[in-house]
Amino acid sequence: MAMNEHDMLNDTELAALFEAAQESAPLPSQKLWDQVHQDALAALPPPRGVANVAPAQPGILAGIIAAIGGWPSLAGLVTATIAGVWIGFANPDALNDSTIAGLLPGFSATQGYDLDDFAPGFTGLSAILEEG
Amino acid sequence: MALDLNSDISDEALLVAYGNGDREAAFVLTTRFTPRVLGYATRILGGDRAEAEDVTQEALLRLWKIAPDWRQGEAKVTTWLYRVVSNLCTDRLRKRRNVDIDAIEEPADTRPAVTQRLIAEDRARALIGAMRDLPDRQKQAVTLRHIEGLTNPEIAAIMEISTEAVESLTARGKRALAKTLAHRRKELGYGDE
């Protein structure tokens, strides 16, 4: 005799069976855990290192700095610039004629000093320039 | 990468991390996938636990091997894994049919079902037993839909068929199960109607 719809399990009854199957999920044995973990570590690729990156091309500023002797020279240049600006603004008393007289032989405080004191031969050059 | 088992990191990201040599990712992935793969394989193989463990190990081994080539966004790891497990189970079921279809005994349990837990165990056992008689494709579709809880589009992706074909397979599978199990209604705790 053929089975009719009434004889079959209905959707609710089937759903209860599926739910029971979900709840009775098998748990892995310790042996399986060990094997799977061992496989995973055995197949683990070596850690990828940082990719080789081409060194960056030096810029214009870096070229200029290198030309004057690198960063230490740049530091000296900056220091000298700051000192010059400061001396110009402060006009310190210590830098008067008498201290310069000690620095420049033949300098007289009464007559002052000329460019020739700092650059010997400059007078001759001035004469040439004056004569045209 | 600091990882723990409850991490929200996706399966795909973990697999890429594994492919980059991350040991923690290996630990989290095995913990996530081993029970899931074992459960699915056990049901498809009609409760054969030993064979299901072999399939689980083989499927995960294949996953580790493809990890270095995995690209995020191309596919879901679970889709790939369910497909591999389905294929491995199908191969084993074919070989088994050539030997003896009834070689696998249903686990015997003669204890009276006096508690809800035992009723649930009986129901699960009866269902898995009845599913052995389903065609492989129906069994896969029904298991993925109603036990694994996947959506029809997900199942369609795993089985590489249309969602309409999935609906058809699950409907026919459920109908066959409803018929097969009808005579065990009382045994399953549904009373004698």
Side-chain angles (χ1 to χ4, degrees), chain B residues 117-135:
Chain B
R117 185 179 61 80
L118 288 176
I119 289 174
E121 285 177 7
D122 282 348
R123 286 178 172 178
R125 196 177 297 115
L127 178 68
I128 300 301
M131 285 174 66
R132 285 182 195 158
D133 297 330
L134 292 181

Side-chain angles (χ1 to χ4, degrees), chain A residues 46-51:
Chain A
R48 287 187 187 170
V50 178

Side-chain angles (χ1 to χ4, degrees), chain A residues 72-124:
Chain A
S73 300
L74 190 68
L77 189 64
V78 169
T79 306
T81 304
I82 292 171
V85 170
W86 181 81
I87 290 168
F89 273 102
N91 191 21
D93 291 340
L95 204 62
N96 55 25
D97 290 344
S98 56
T99 53
I100 292 172
L103 292 171
L104 299 175
F107 173 78
S108 165
T110 52
Q111 68 182 44
Y113 57 87
D114 203 351
L115 275 175
D116 200 42
D117 295 320
F118 298 98
F122 183 81
T123 311

Side-chain angles (χ1 to χ4, degrees), chain B:
Chain B
M1 186 188 298
L3 300 172
D4 60 57
L5 298 182
N6 299 318
S7 167
D8 289 333
I9 298 172
S10 70
D11 298 336
E12 291 71 33
L14 281 171
L15 193 60
V16 170
Y18 175 87
N20 289 332
D22 190 321
R23 290 173 69 91
E24 286 183 74
F27 175 72
V28 177
L29 284 169
T30 52
T31 309
R32 271 191 196 179
F33 288 139
T34 306
R36 197 166 178 178
V37 171
L38 178 68
Y40 178 59
T42 304
R43 285 157 190 146
I44 296 298
L45 291 168
D48 188 333
R49 176 64 183 265
E51 206 158 16
E53 291 209 351
D54 287 347
V55 166
T56 302
Q57 191 181 357
E58 173 65 24
L60 290 175
L61 193 57
R62 292 188 185 190
L63 183 65
W64 311 139
K65 287 182 178 171
I66 58 107
D69 301 321
W70 192 271
R71 297 287 175 268
Q72 278 201 77
E74 284 185 4
K76 284 183 74 177
V77 177
T78 48
T79 301
W80 184 92
L81 203 48
Y82 274 122
R83 190 181 299 153
V84 169
V85 175
S86 297
N87 292 338
L88 288 171
C89 289
T90 300
D91 289 345
R92 285 173 183 255
L93 289 171
R94 280 186 190 138
K95 285 177 191 165
R96 188 191 291 175
R97 277 185 205 110
N98 293 335
V99 181
D100 181 2
I101 195 167
D102 295 322
I104 309 301
E105 293 287 332
E106 233 179 277
D109 190 350
T110 55
R111 293 172 297 171
V114 292
T115 64
Q116 283 301 110
R117 185 179 61 80
L118 288 176
I119 289 174
E121 285 177 7
D122 282 348
R123 286 178 172 178
R125 196 177 297 115
L127 178 68
I128 300 301
M131 285 174 66
R132 285 182 195 158
D133 297 330
L134 292 181
D136 289 347
R137 302 288 276 175
Q138 284 184 27
K139 184 167 29 184
Q140 287 170 16
V142 168
T143 305
L144 290 169
R145 181 77 186 92
H146 296 287
I147 302 179
E148 299 297 320
L150 303 187
T151 64
N152 285 343
E154 285 173 326
I155 299 167
I158 291 165
M159 298 183 72
E160 298 178 286
I161 54 176
S162 66
T163 50
E164 291 77 14
V166 172
E167 287 166 12
S168 173
L169 284 171
T170 51
R172 281 186 283 147
K174 280 177 68 180
R175 188 175 173 81
L177 289 172
K179 269 188 190 175
T180 304
L181 293 166
H183 70 281
R184 299 175 72 175
R185 185 185 294 275
K186 191 174 178 181
E187 184 188 336
L188 295 171
Y190 292 138
D192 196 7
E193 293 176 11

